[in-house]
């Protein structure tokens, strides 16, 4: 199935991101860097034609806060959709990654340690996340700006590309950027004022 064009934003850095904590269904506010990242996403969106796009946002506070900086200035309305929430991590919500008692590569950023999400006691797991994200994609009837989270955003992009969950780690992560999915494929859009 061919899905509509998408612009996908991950929320900016949060206090818990900076502390190495898993957030899942819990929330922490954006850091000053996270606010700057959301503002950078807003500058990216300002350079795009969003005519005909709808804007949907995870109802979790960090995504709503990001949408306020990045998306709201450029569209008439931003609606929330619970299917955009971050993957549930069950009993690990709020815990630091290095206290979980499981093996993973501690040098990897939180969004890169995908094996953790399959091990979380009481967590959602990648299979259920895939079903939730597929239901979201199937419901989209026009181009959309989606404000979501690291793992959920990767799953949406993988499904849009026709990939399985085994390829999530092949997709780039990051904050302060916008992922574009359209007829040209998958692209990472960066702030035009960023010298890097």
């Amino acid at each position: 199935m061919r899905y509509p064009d998408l612009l996908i934003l991950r929320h900016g850095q949060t206090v818990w991101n900076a502390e190495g904590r898993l957030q899942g269904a819990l929330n922490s506010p954006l850091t000053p860097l996270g606010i700057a990242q959301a503002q950078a996403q807003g500058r990216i969106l300002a350079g795009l034609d969003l005519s005909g796009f709808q804007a949907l946002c995870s109802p979790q506070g960090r995504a709503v806060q990001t949408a306020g900086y990045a998306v709201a200035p450029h569209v008439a309305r931003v609606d929330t959709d619970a299917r955009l929430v971050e993957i549930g991590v069950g009993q690990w919500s709020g815990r630091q990654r290095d206290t979980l008692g499981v093996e993973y590569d501690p040098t990897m950023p939180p969004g890169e340690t995908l094996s953790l999400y399959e091990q979380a006691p009481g967590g959602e797991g990648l299979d259920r996340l895939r079903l939730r994200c597929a239901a979201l994609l199937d419901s989209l009837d026009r181009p959309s700006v989606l404000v979501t989270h690291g793992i959920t955003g990767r799953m949406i992009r993988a499904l849009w590309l026709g990939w399985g969950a085994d390829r999530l780690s092949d997709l780039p992560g990051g904050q302060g950027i916008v992922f574009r999915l359209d007829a040209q494929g998958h692209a990472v859009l960066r702030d035009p004022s960023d010298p890097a």
Side-chain angles (χ1 to χ4, degrees), residues 54-91:
Q54 69 177 332
L56 301 174
C57 178
S58 161
Q60 292 174 286
R62 58 197 183 269
V64 172
Q65 192 179 4
T66 297
Y69 287 105
V71 182
H74 309 293
V75 298
R77 170 184 176 147
V78 179
D79 292 310
T80 58
D81 190 309
R83 294 172 294 187
L84 289 169
V85 300
E86 183 57 304
I87 187 171
V89 293
Q91 297 170 22

Side-chain angles (χ1 to χ4, degrees), residues 1 6-7 28-29 46 55 70 78 95 98 104 111 153 157 172 178:
M1 173 182 185
L6 298 180
L7 296 166
S28 68
V78 179
R95 292 195 43 201
D98 60 1
Y104 71 97
R157 288 184 283 143
V178 174

Side-chain angles (χ1 to χ4, degrees), residues 133-154:
C133 292
L136 171 79
L137 283 171
D138 289 341
S139 74
L140 298 178
D141 60 1
R142 62 184 183 263
S144 302
V145 178
L146 306 178
V147 183
T148 186
H149 307 268
I151 306 305
T152 301
R154 278 179 196 238

Side-chain angles (χ1 to χ4, degrees), residues 20 59 68 116 119 162 173 175 178:
L116 283 180
Q119 301 174 60
Q175 292 165 304
V178 174

Side-chain angles (χ1 to χ4, degrees), residues 35-59:
I35 292 169
Q37 290 168 334
Q39 291 168 333
Q41 291 169 318
R43 289 189 293 274
I44 296 165
L45 294 179
L48 302 175
D49 180 4
L50 299 180
S51 302
F53 275 74
Q54 69 177 332
L56 301 174
C57 178
S58 161

